[in-house]
Amino acid sequence: MKKTYGLNEIREMFLSFFEEKDHLRLPSFPLVPKDDPSLLLINSGMAPMKVWFTGEMEPPRKRVCTCQKCIRTVDIDNVGKTSRHGTYFEMLGNFSFGDYFKKEAIAWCWEFLTERMGLDPALLYPSVYLDDDEAFGIWVNDIGISPERIAKLGRDDNFWDHGSGPCGPCSEVYYDRGPESGCGDANCAPGCDCDRFIEIWNNVFTQYDNDGANNYTELSQKNIDTGLGLERLACVSQGVSNMFEVDTMMNIIKKISLISGIEYKRDDKSDVSIRVITDHIRSATMMICDGVLPSNEGRGYVLRRLLRRASRHGHLLGITSAFLCDVCKTVIEENKTAYPDLVEKAEYINRVIHVEEENFGKTIEAGTAKLAGLIAEYRERGEKTFSGADAFRLYDTYGFPLDLTIEMLSEQGFEVDAPSFDEHMLAQRDRARKAREALGDLAWASVDLGLDSAPTVFTDCEETTGNVLAIVAQDELCSAINEGSVGVIVLDKTPFYAESGGQSADNGTIISEGGGVFEVRDVQSKGGKSLHHGKMLRGVMGVGDLVTAKIDTVRRSAIKRAHTATHLLHEALHAVIGEHAQQAGSLVEPDKLRFDFTHFSALSQEELADIECRVNDAILDGLEVNVSTMPMSQARELGAMALFGEKYGDIVRVVRIDDGYSTELCGGTHLDNTAKAGAFSIGSEFSVASGVRRIEATTGKATLKTLNTARGHLSKLARVVKAGAPDEIAEKLEQNMASLRELRTKLDAALTKESRGEAARMLTATQDIGGLKVIGTVFEDTDVDIDKLRQIEDILRDMEAGIVAVLAAVKGDKITIMAACGKEAVSKGVKAGELIREITKLCGGSGGGKPEFAMGGGKDPKKLYEAMAAVEGFVKSKTEERA
Ligand code: ATP
Ligand code: MG
């Protein structure tokens, strides 16, 4: 019987096989490409090795093998439907950089598949590129495959070319899974789109260079790049019908079945959903682990889309609550041996998924109801195409992205007018832009300066002499600006830093030879030109004038302190909470900074203290700060974190603290030594968006100011509580509070004693009605305390079971009346609640309460005595009723 292997086992077999053939085994590169703006996510084994293929950098060895994590969103529509496509998969690969070529590559490919894996050679079909007689010859003569079993395929399938650079023919290996897996077509053969002959391995022979105009020349360094789908190989090895049914993925399927209560292989529709979820949750887990966070752009959007799609397929299976975060645990469990960092980041990954799922759940609920209503209306009208306006409304009001709307509608047989949706989108952007421009200040920036595009030279010093190139006043290009006018001055050279990269602009003055003074309040950059916004304080200034531009150095120094401290903070965050804390925004002002970073939970007091301490240590160490420009590749070698959008060969500005303590690409202005930052203090830490936290902090004088203010508060407090020194305040306060408590107790006792006396006096003057003791007393325009009256009422009820005491207090027009009835009175039917209702009504008010005690108010003091007189009648009638 044929031996089968588990997926993890196959990965190891492949890597050690090629190690035996002298290859250097490297771990998978992260899914997020480094320094490659042409690619959103790594999609093949060779993608992260481009620089080794082009010769731009030396590979660590001429033979390398990897198992690379790959994401291919182009295959998203195939997922779940074909048996062989996932958006996430692992690609095994062996690579030669100018070392071995076709002969060895083909021989080892065959040896691994047939001898190591034990696949039946009769089921394996090679393919070659039409013209590649060399590869064809190797398959026939060296390996011994009969020529009719080798498919000759065209450019689309078997020539690897990217428009320019290294390229070449491919040779693939297909596995025949038998007619029952196929389309049934008589011509079905390797290269057919169905699931019978599946491509498992692609060997690319990069032997040509494309000059960009499809002129091919033979390369001196010939390379081998191969890709063998790990899941596909496991699938044929294990003889299962689908790549999602291999050992490691079956557990994810089982988990989804368990949660949904729907068995796998029950029906095609739910099977597709189960496979889509299995695939997407794998992709999402791996992407988040490699630092991607859901967002509306770029790879963040890819992730968001995958999670939302998975969540929606969960809904189709009848799952109503968040479940993906649960399934992701199984993904981690199944992959932890190959990718141990999954375990380290498990909690974080889980949290990201959970938050995204919950948010999407809310969107879906509102939007789906709306969509269902719309679908019904379209059906009624017999229309099959959704208008762009409706799709846009779903987007605008419910946050339904277009692709989701399209997908949900296509399931119901509807189409969406996408071009019209785009028009709506554009119109909205246009409206937003106009609204922004109407805000005034920004209108300046939209004035066409009519200048060449040579950038204003930033001189990075305190003072520079330059020429006035253009002036804007009253929102128009002018030849001069007069005293009192606000406007913009454009110079050829400037020491002013224009706001960018979060660093605030410099302030200062521009002074002309003729004595004109322009106060600079803001500097913005547009088309490379620095626009100095401000006001003409004195005299005039004209285009062509020679001027001296001078920055406010006090402000600049404070900005530098905050900026250098920001780099130290970034470093400290990495050290304390981890590398995933990526910069998500930053604001640098004089001695004040704001730093946004990706992280999922609030930082603890300990973490914040640790971060603050690390930054202050780096300041106290007086580390040197160096700013230099260099090619991107060199910056990368120094460990500068690459930013998306940067290209090879680009000259970048690198800010380095202490030879690598921190290395960042940055265009801002910095201290030359960290010690000059002064004391660093974190003011607050909070969340600004899901997965993004913000730290606000101060440096230099701002920290001193905060400390001084706090010290001021403390000494004031010390004076107030009569503490000798601030550290005695707490003790003093505790003493004061204790004596207050003591006084309060004494006071209560005294008050109670007084009330007792009052109650006893009242009891001597009661009126006997129906065997009960009735009191009616009015306190007129006195300062009698209502709480005290209540206390007297309570005491009376305690002292005398037959008491019916009605006490009223009048202040101006306001009457408060309360009644207390003792146990005996209540048992004879005299209830305080009823009594109060009756008498307050008589003086224009209302009230109520329990049988023992009730309160109310009245508004007509003239009727109060009449009302009080009614007490007697009330008691009489109640007691007589009983008797
Ligand atoms: P197909 O035509 O089947 O989509 P491909 O030509 O796109 O495959 P390559 O780009 O040559 O594939 O990738 C190399 C290997 O990676 C393939 O032979 C296959 O084993 C695997 N592979 C490619 N795409 C996927 C996918 N979406 N899911 C799983 N494995 C894949
Ligand atoms: Mg493909």
Side-chain angles (χ1 to χ4, degrees):
M1 213 185 90
K2 192 181 110 196
K3 176 147 175 40
T4 69
Y5 300 100
L7 181 129
N8 286 316
E9 212 176 344
I10 297 174
R11 187 191 297 109
E12 182 51 39
M13 284 164 71
F14 177 91
L15 294 171
S16 48
F17 176 82
F18 280 97
E19 270 180 330
E20 287 162 27
K21 313 274 182 216
D22 246 1
H23 287 63
L24 173 68
R25 178 204 292 232
L26 292 178
S28 172
F29 291 82
L31 281 167
V32 176
K34 233 179 158 215
D35 312 329
D36 186 357
S38 69
L39 198 61
L40 218 48
L41 291 153
I42 294 297
N43 59 2
S44 65
M46 74 78 65
M49 302 183 189
K50 275 187 204 161
V51 282
W52 298 341
F53 277 100
T54 58
E56 203 172 320
M57 283 176 93
E58 275 291 306
R61 194 187 290 177
K62 283 187 178 306
R63 297 179 182 190
V64 162
C65 61
T66 58
C67 175
Q68 176 63 46
K69 303 182 260 189
C70 296
I71 297 275
R72 282 198 187 175
T73 38
V74 288
D75 286 336
I76 197 166
D77 291 322
N78 280 330
V79 172
K81 295 177 186 157
T82 72
S83 69
R84 62 189 201 280
H85 288 102
T87 59
Y88 171 80
F89 64 96
E90 290 173 78
M91 196 188 280
L92 301 165
N94 51 296
F95 307 91
S96 153
F97 308 101
D99 191 38
Y100 65 85
F101 203 47
K102 290 184 196 177
K103 214 172 156 60
E104 296 85 345
I106 290 176
W108 291 335
C109 163
W110 192 254
E111 183 188 339
F112 179 72
L113 290 179
T114 55
E115 287 173 29
R116 279 297 152 97
M117 291 298 303
L119 297 183
D120 181 356
L123 298 178
L124 294 171
Y125 291 82
S127 78
V128 296
Y129 177 55
L130 286 177
D131 296 344
D132 191 0
D133 296 337
E134 189 188 355
F136 190 80
I138 297 170
W139 280 114
V140 176
N141 303 322
D142 295 10
I143 312 292
I145 309 283
S146 56
E148 74 281 358
R149 284 171 49 93
I150 304 172
K152 288 192 169 186
L153 300 178
R155 251 194 109 78
D156 285 354
D157 282 301
N158 271 4
F159 196 90
W160 191 85
D161 194 354
H162 274 261
S164 71
C167 56
C170 316
S171 175
E172 304 158 317
V173 177
Y174 288 83
Y175 184 89
D176 180 4
R177 306 200 307 151
E180 63 284 359
S181 308
C183 54
D185 195 299
N187 294 324
C188 182
C192 177
D193 266 347
C194 76
D195 277 337
R196 173 170 176 181
F197 294 96
I198 71 166
E199 177 197 323
I200 51 176
W201 203 336
N202 191 2
N203 290 265
V204 185
F205 313 124
T206 45
Q207 63 188 115
Y208 303 113
D209 182 62
N210 181 345
D211 69 355
N214 290 352
N215 299 312
Y216 299 92
T217 46
E218 195 87 19
L219 279 174
S220 54
Q221 176 191 308
K222 295 195 176 85
N223 304 315
I224 289 292
D225 148 28
T226 87
L228 166 62
L230 176 59
E231 292 82 354
R232 287 195 192 174
L233 180 58
C235 172
V236 299
S237 167
Q238 294 170 16
V240 290
S241 60
N242 198 297
M243 74 171 250
F244 294 100
E245 290 163 22
V246 305
D247 54 340
T248 51
M249 274 195 270
M250 207 53 212
N251 283 330
I252 305 173
I253 287 186
K254 281 186 194 145
K255 178 83 176 203
I256 299 166
S257 288
L258 190 75
I259 296 174
S260 62
I262 293 180
E263 234 169 276
Y264 185 57
K265 295 269 147 100
R266 193 191 70 173
D267 61 89
D268 285 348
K269 194 162 167 278
S270 42
D271 282 355
V272 169
S273 287
I274 292 176
R275 288 194 292 258
V276 167
I277 298 169
T278 304
D279 172 73
H280 291 7
I281 189 66
R282 274 167 36 101
S283 298
T285 304
M286 294 298 181
M287 284 170 77
I288 297 167
C289 186
D290 281 352
V292 183
L293 273 172
S295 75
N296 285 331
E297 266 168 20
R299 47 182 91 89
Y301 184 65
V302 171
L303 172 59
R304 171 159 285 168
R305 185 160 171 228
L306 288 167
L307 282 171
R308 291 183 163 193
R309 249 177 138 242
S311 161
R312 232 173 45 71
H313 279 277
H315 275 259
L316 293 179
L317 293 177
I319 305 173
T320 49
S321 53
F323 73 107
L324 293 171
C325 45
D326 211 14
V327 184
C328 121
K329 289 180 193 153
T330 314
V331 177
I332 293 176
E333 197 50 40
E334 293 299 322
N335 289 282
K336 66 180 183 192
T337 36
Y339 305 102
D341 53 339
L342 282 172
V343 179
E344 262 162 57
K345 295 186 188 157
E347 204 192 310
Y348 169 76
I349 298 171
N350 218 275
R351 188 107 41 110
V352 174
I353 294 179
H354 192 77
V355 169
E356 182 66 11
E357 225 184 337
E358 296 250 288
N359 287 345
F360 185 53
K362 287 178 207 142
T363 304
I364 279 274
E365 225 168 88
T368 311
K370 179 72 193 168
L371 192 63
L374 285 171
I375 289 176
E377 285 172 27
Y378 274 80
R379 285 234 164 89
E380 214 157 88
R381 294 199 298 268
E383 290 171 25
K384 283 267 157 205
T385 306
F386 243 61
S387 75
D390 280 338
F392 182 75
R393 208 164 307 129
L394 277 169
Y395 163 79
D396 206 29
T397 328
Y398 297 95
F400 260 45
L402 181 65
D403 56 36
L404 181 69
T405 309
I406 291 177
E407 207 177 308
M408 291 179 75
L409 284 171
S410 83
E411 279 159 15
Q412 310 262 351
F414 284 91
E415 282 185 346
V416 179
D417 183 350
S420 151
F421 173 89
D422 290 340
E423 273 166 34
H424 279 86
M425 195 78 176
L426 282 178
Q428 195 208 33
R429 292 218 178 108
D430 203 39
R431 280 197 299 279
R433 184 178 51 81
K434 290 210 174 102
R436 264 201 314 275
E437 284 177 6
L439 287 176
D441 252 22
L442 281 159
W444 284 354
S446 68
V447 170
D448 181 3
L449 300 167
L451 297 170
D452 59 30
S453 59
T456 302
V457 176
F458 173 61
T459 54
D460 202 358
C461 58
E462 292 175 11
E463 195 178 307
T464 300
T465 317
N467 279 300
V468 177
L469 297 183
I471 291 177
V472 180
Q474 272 101 44
D475 290 359
E476 270 181 48
L477 272 185
C478 305
S479 55
I481 182 166
N482 297 321
E483 191 168 312
S485 292
V486 289
V488 176
I489 288 182
V490 186
L491 303 176
D492 57 349
K493 278 187 280 173
T494 185
F496 284 87
Y497 184 84
E499 181 188 324
S500 87
Q503 180 174 329
S504 310
D506 282 316
N507 292 350
T509 48
I510 298 175
I511 301 170
S512 71
E513 282 187 316
V517 180
F518 182 82
E519 183 188 38
V520 179
R521 295 170 181 170
D522 187 21
V523 187
Q524 297 290 328
S525 171
K526 193 199 170 217
K529 293 276 192 281
S530 294
L531 274 50
H532 304 78
H533 293 250
K535 187 175 178 180
M536 204 59 205
L537 294 185
R538 261 200 315 279
V540 285
M541 197 169 285
V543 173
D545 280 1
L546 191 66
V547 295
T548 304
K550 206 169 177 292
I551 59 162
D552 173 346
T553 51
V554 174
R555 177 181 161 94
R556 164 70 75 82
S557 301
I559 289 176
K560 283 180 177 178
R561 291 195 285 267
H563 205 155
T564 301
T566 300
H567 287 206
L568 295 176
L569 170 63
H570 195 181
E571 193 51 43
L573 274 169
H574 278 183
V576 175
I577 61 172
E579 297 283 330
H580 66 271
Q582 298 288 327
Q583 174 167 352
S586 142
L587 182 71
V588 177
E589 290 181 330
D591 273 332
K592 252 168 73 181
L593 62 98
R594 201 170 85 185
F595 192 76
D596 296 347
F597 55 99
T598 51
H599 185 59
F600 252 87
S601 51
L603 269 59
S604 66
Q605 280 311 314
E606 292 74 32
E607 284 169 328
L608 286 172
D610 192 5
I611 289 165
E612 194 178 76
C613 179
R614 278 166 193 266
V615 174
N616 280 312
D617 282 348
I619 290 172
L620 292 174
D621 285 342
L623 307 176
E624 237 174 74
V625 184
N626 283 302
V627 179
S628 50
T629 50
M630 59 185 76
M632 182 63 207
S633 52
Q634 191 184 343
R636 209 189 38 224
E637 267 166 46
L638 289 178
M641 253 176 300
L643 298 179
F644 195 62
E646 226 84 35
K647 288 194 286 293
Y648 287 114
D650 273 1
I651 295 296
V652 291
R653 194 166 178 273
V654 177
V655 176
R656 231 164 124 71
I657 301 178
D658 191 36
D659 272 343
Y661 174 82
S662 143
T663 307
E664 290 200 35
L665 298 183
C666 172
T669 57
H670 283 270
L671 302 169
D672 53 10
N673 189 296
T674 56
K676 295 184 183 172
F680 171 84
S681 163
I682 293 179
S684 53
E685 188 274 342
F686 52 95
S687 157
V688 279
S690 99
V692 182
R693 315 275 319 167
R694 172 172 296 170
I695 282 185
E696 291 177 333
T698 54
T699 52
K701 293 194 178 169
T703 301
L704 288 183
K705 195 171 161 202
T706 320
L707 288 177
N708 275 334
T709 315
R711 195 158 55 188
H713 289 322
L714 276 181
S715 41
K716 191 165 165 197
L717 201 58
R719 266 200 312 283
V720 173
V721 300
K722 298 204 162 58
D727 61 357
E728 291 166 15
I729 292 175
E731 197 188 325
K732 254 292 191 270
L733 269 177
E734 264 162 24
Q735 283 170 11
N736 285 351
M737 269 151 64
S739 64
L740 266 181
R741 271 194 301 276
E742 198 181 316
L743 282 175
R744 177 87 237 171
T745 319
K746 279 186 187 153
L747 186 65
D748 282 350
L751 286 175
T752 312
K753 194 171 168 207
E754 196 182 301
S755 298
R756 283 192 167 278
E758 188 77 32
R761 244 186 326 277
M762 283 184 188
L763 279 179
T764 59
T766 56
Q767 193 182 350
D768 195 322
I769 301 170
L772 298 176
K773 292 188 167 156
V774 181
I775 305 169
T777 307
V778 175
F779 297 86
E780 225 170 323
D781 274 331
T782 53
D783 275 336
V784 59
D785 170 0
I786 301 296
D787 285 340
K788 192 173 165 204
L789 286 191
R790 274 194 82 137
Q791 193 181 37
I792 294 173
E793 290 276 49
D794 286 346
I795 295 168
L796 283 170
R797 217 178 39 233
D798 278 352
M799 291 168 100
E800 178 53 62
I803 195 78
V804 177
V806 182
L807 306 181
V810 192
K811 252 183 211 167
D813 279 348
K814 197 172 165 269
I815 307 168
T816 310
I817 311 177
M818 52 186 85
C821 298
K823 261 198 196 110
E824 191 191 334
V826 175
S827 72
K828 286 191 170 163
V830 183
K831 292 177 187 156
E834 284 174 28
L835 175 55
I836 278 293
R837 254 196 308 282
E838 203 130 308
I839 51 181
T840 49
K841 218 189 302 162
L842 290 174
C843 52
S846 62
K850 299 209 168 106
E852 302 79 32
F853 181 78
M855 249 176 108
K859 289 182 195 125
D860 194 349
K862 284 194 280 301
K863 301 221 175 108
L864 178 59
Y865 283 92
E866 206 178 297
M868 292 297 280
V871 174
E872 188 184 331
F874 178 88
V875 178
K876 217 178 241 161
S877 73
K878 290 289 171 191
T879 46
E880 274 166 11
E881 245 171 54
R882 286 286 158 120

